[in-house]
Amino acid sequence: MASDEPQVTLGNVSGSTFAIGSHAHAESHHHGASGSQADEELLAAVRELRADLARVRGTEQTAALGTALAETEDEITSTGQAGPTRRQRLRELLTDSQSLLSVLASAGALAGLLGM
């Protein structure tokens, strides 16, 4: 390589669109980050319940629910949706945490969005 040639270094390019060359053309068709309205509502409810869980006394059940909520948030933000298995796991954890449903409005809202 000649010393006068420009040097290009690319780091993490996930979620990026670029083209290289004199006649290059780039189009962006990113999937995953934008989900349905239902998934957007679910994401908002998940975030609200996570925030509320930080204000209650922690138990094994709330810790498991908190972990599942974090994983759900990650899944929705990276793929645009929460899969059926993830939704079922949340239903199970909310069922196990029935006392939260009556105390935290956010838990009740999430339960409603999950069809409980």
Side-chain angles (χ1 to χ4, degrees):
M1 175 153 84
S3 62
D4 61 340
E5 290 184 21
Q7 203 172 34
V8 176
T9 303
L10 300 175
N12 181 356
V13 295
S14 63
S16 301
T17 303
F18 58 91
I20 299 173
S22 62
H23 299 291
H25 174 77
E27 288 187 39
S28 182
H29 299 279
H30 298 287
H31 300 284
S34 61
S36 69
Q37 180 66 30
D39 284 302
E40 291 298 321
E41 290 173 6
L42 182 63
L43 178 59
V46 162
R47 287 177 171 161
E48 186 174 347
L49 181 52
R50 283 188 73 196
D52 285 347
L53 280 181
R55 294 185 277 273
V56 299
R57 174 186 264 163
T59 65
E60 268 186 49
Q61 290 173 324
T62 59
L65 181 57
T67 299
L69 291 168
E71 291 169 352
T72 302
E73 183 174 353
D74 288 345
E75 183 174 345
I76 295 172
T77 56
S78 65
T79 69
Q81 64 182 348
T85 303
R86 180 84 55 208
R87 289 170 182 261
Q88 181 58 38
R89 177 71 178 139
L90 286 176
R91 282 186 201 98
E92 291 166 0
L93 289 167
L94 286 170
T95 299
D96 291 345
S97 302
Q98 281 295 320
S99 60
L100 281 177
L101 295 177
S102 60
V103 174
L104 299 176
S106 58
L110 180 59
L113 289 170
L114 293 169
M116 295 177 68

